[in-house]
Amino acid sequence: MTMSVSRRRFAMGVPTLLAASALPTVAWAQAAPSGNFLPQPSGENSLDIIAAERLAIRSKAVLEPGAWEYIHGAAGSEWTLRANRLALDLLAFNPGRMAGFSEADTTSELLGQQVAAPFFVCPMGGQDFAHEDADLASVRGAGAARIPYMLSGASNKSMEQVAKEAPADLLRIFAIYLNTDREVNWKLARRARAAGYRAIVMTVDSLGPGTSNRYIAMGSPKTAAAGFGNFDPARGGTGNFRDLKRDFDPADIAMLKEASGLPVMVKGLLRTEDAQRAVAAGAAGVVVSNHGGRTLDGSIPSIDALPGIVRAVGQRVPVLFDSGVRRGVDALRALALGATSVGIGRPVMDAMALGGGKGVADLLNWFRNDLATQMLLVGAKTIGDISPELLVRTDYTDATDRDLLTHELP
Ligand code: FNR
């Protein structure tokens, strides 16, 4: 594999905007020394993937430490980051046998569109930490693998550029971070429709400081190219991404629907009552997520929130899920608990760092193949056959059993 890393040097005074997932910025604006710019990987490489988690080790070799920590860090003590994994690992399978098939079919549907597998690429800001082409690389990968793609409202590239980079029939969704300036929201929503996005996701869990301690300790470095691709005063409103709206309420769903004419989903829900309120206010879907542990440290693992939300709204709208998914079995766990589609976050950034769009396509195909293998092994021929009966919630709590959960990466 060849990897080129462009080591540009920039003078002071180039844009210092930084897209972060846990956006807020008070902490980082203070902590970020100016001129602390990171080089970015570039290039396109196919990846031999044994496991997505191994890509995180490999990406360390090509990313600057600050970029790697930005991607892999989480809020606070990172309890939620670890708990996401632990809670998934506590769900064991009781597989069906003699099911009479030799190949599983992962095709499924999202928002009325047939997709290759029940996965989606999570919306992630700051993709230029991972690759010079940033969002263009990840959408190329999603397009090649035919996996739905969510573009972050904090993307480096504009939604129009991203739209051009993907096949026309790729299911693309725009994940908006609402602005305090109503005109900005209105314009973003209209642009999303005009650029062929099929839905809008409103992220509601990124409300305040959540920037990882590890990243701050690295001096909160940024890339010289960083900027917010969709924010431009020339397109209406203040154009300042940092003016984030925090006082969300159900009326925001109606506003986005009216502005865009598109289905609107809400991302970052963990409480059943919040999902009910969102759907009552017209949401066309919910994304059960704790932002991969990047916002409230100490929030419950997303997977623990999933069954209640599925019971409450799953008959009416799709319930998407993310946070901690690293293997096909994790997707199988979430699907068994009623998820419609399963999001992949950090591994996409690792794949981009190592292989650009090709790397992302290889990763998504790896997830699809791994899911198909696990479906065969549990006796589920189609996505519709994946049911809660396959799962047993274990409670490994004594010291010996705990070794099952904390182990070296195989
Ligand atoms: C994110 N996430 C995120 N979510 C969102 O709605 N808008 C955003 O801009 C971002 N930005 C972002 C940047 C980075 C670097 C990461 C890792 C994550 C959260 C993301 O969509 C998703 O919820 C989690 O990443 C899922 O967890 P895993 O798969 O990373 O464990």
Side-chain angles (χ1 to χ4, degrees), residues 366-384:
W366 177 84
F367 265 106
R368 179 167 51 81
N369 289 333
D370 197 38
L371 174 61
T373 304
Q374 308 311 324
M375 286 170 66
L376 182 65
L377 290 171
V378 296
K381 185 173 186 212
T382 66
I383 298 299

Side-chain angles (χ1 to χ4, degrees), residues 380-403:
K381 185 173 186 212
T382 66
I383 298 299
D385 295 334
I386 302 173
S387 68
E389 290 78 59
L390 294 174
L391 279 186
V392 181
R393 188 179 294 274
T394 58
D395 182 17
Y396 296 113
T397 46
D398 77 31
T400 326
D401 290 339
R402 234 179 280 140
D403 291 346

Side-chain angles (χ1 to χ4, degrees), residues 340-361:
T340 312
S341 182
V342 177
I344 305 167
R346 292 177 183 88
V348 169
M349 297 286 257
D350 291 321
M352 269 170 88
L354 293 160
K358 270 192 189 155
V360 172

Side-chain angles (χ1 to χ4, degrees), residues 8-68:
R8 299 185 191 150
R9 286 283 161 252
F10 290 85
M12 306 283 282
V14 291
T16 53
L17 288 178
L18 167 71
S21 121
L23 297 166
T25 46
V26 190
W28 109 52
Q30 284 164 356
S34 55
N36 186 6
F37 297 127
L38 297 174
Q40 300 156 293
S42 59
E44 294 282 310
N45 303 293
S46 290
L47 301 179
D48 288 328
I49 300 176
I50 298 171
E53 284 168 308
R54 284 175 173 262
L55 296 181
I57 297 171
R58 286 165 63 188
S59 73
K60 242 182 176 167
V62 300
L63 288 171
E64 291 287 315
W68 195 90

Side-chain angles (χ1 to χ4, degrees), residues 20-23 70-73 81 84 120 122-126 152-155 175-177 201 203 205-206 241 267 289-294 322-326 343-347 349:
S21 121
L23 297 166
Y70 166 74
I71 293 164
H72 287 281
L81 178 74
N84 279 335
F120 65 94
C122 291
M124 287 181 286
S152 165
S155 62
I176 196 167
Y177 274 127
V201 158
T203 301
D205 63 352
S206 192
F241 174 76
K267 174 171 181 281
S289 169
N290 58 26
H291 219 101
R294 295 169 78 90
D322 75 29
S323 298
V325 173
R326 298 294 177 266
I344 305 167
R346 292 177 183 88
M349 297 286 257

Side-chain angles (χ1 to χ4, degrees), residues 75-150:
S77 70
E78 305 192 335
W79 184 91
T80 300
L81 178 74
R82 293 189 298 279
N84 279 335
R85 280 300 329 154
L86 181 72
L88 283 162
D89 281 341
L90 287 172
L91 295 171
F93 293 97
N94 193 353
R97 300 291 187 221
M98 298 185 286
F101 69 94
S102 59
E103 213 171 309
D105 176 3
T106 62
T107 52
S108 65
E109 208 192 271
L110 184 61
L111 295 171
Q113 191 168 325
Q114 175 123 11
V115 295
F119 289 109
F120 65 94
V121 172
C122 291
M124 287 181 286
Q127 297 200 7
D128 68 345
F129 276 99
H131 196 276
E132 207 170 52
D133 292 350
D135 317 275
L136 304 183
S138 56
V139 81
R140 282 199 298 269
R146 295 187 299 119
I147 295 296
Y149 181 84
M150 287 191 194

